[in-house]
């Protein structure tokens, strides 16, 4: 699940990525072109309900490509991405805005 915040006055938007508890086993990281595909840049925090979650802030007009990386080298995509291809999900932060 992806929640998109409203763009701020400085043109940034907060994105919150949540992975269901039944999906991965072990730790999960959000990786993508916004962090150089670095699996250590955005590790997801395990919440009390068992989900994994991470929030990042990016320019509201910057489309991003991303995937999740779980322990053991398991890559997987988010069904809520705007588009999918062989490189994973693509997200335009300004589309389908919801309050975060």
């Amino acid at each position: 699940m992806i929640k998109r915040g409203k763009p701020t006055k400085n043109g940034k938007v907060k994105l919150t990525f949540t992975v269901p508890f039944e999906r991965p086993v072990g730790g999960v990281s959000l990786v993508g072109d916004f962090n150089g595909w670095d699996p250590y840049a955005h590790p997801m925090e395990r919440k009390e309900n068992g989900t994994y979650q991470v929030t990042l802030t990016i320019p509201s007009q910057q489309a991003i490509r991303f995937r999740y990386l779980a322990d053991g080298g398991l890559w997987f995509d988010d069904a809520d991405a705007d588009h999918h291809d062989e490189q994973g999900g693509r997200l335009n932060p300004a589309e389908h805005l919801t309050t975060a």
Side-chain angles (χ1 to χ4, degrees):
M1 178 172 69
I2 303 167
K3 287 187 181 180
R4 305 170 209 229
K6 293 181 181 180
T8 62
K9 291 179 184 176
N10 65 357
K12 303 277 186 176
V13 66
K14 185 189 315 185
L15 302 173
T16 301
F17 296 82
T18 304
V19 175
F21 68 90
E22 67 273 352
R23 179 63 190 201
V25 176
V28 181
S29 291
L30 175 67
V31 295
D33 56 6
F34 54 89
N35 66 13
W37 298 94
D38 180 355
Y40 301 104
H42 292 95
M44 300 183 84
E45 179 183 345
R46 183 124 191 184
K47 299 296 186 178
E48 287 184 20
N49 65 2
T51 62
Y52 291 90
Q53 191 173 85
V54 67
T55 300
L56 61 110
T57 303
I58 62 169
S60 61
Q61 298 303 315
Q62 175 185 330
I64 62 169
R65 290 195 173 277
F66 72 98
R67 296 190 83 192
Y68 299 110
L69 179 60
D71 283 353
L74 173 68
W75 290 93
F76 61 99
D77 298 317
D78 193 313
D80 289 341
D82 297 330
H83 306 283
H84 293 91
D85 61 25
E86 65 279 352
Q87 296 178 337
R90 185 168 187 266
L91 185 73
N92 181 349
E95 288 183 20
H96 314 292
L97 289 176
T98 62
T99 54

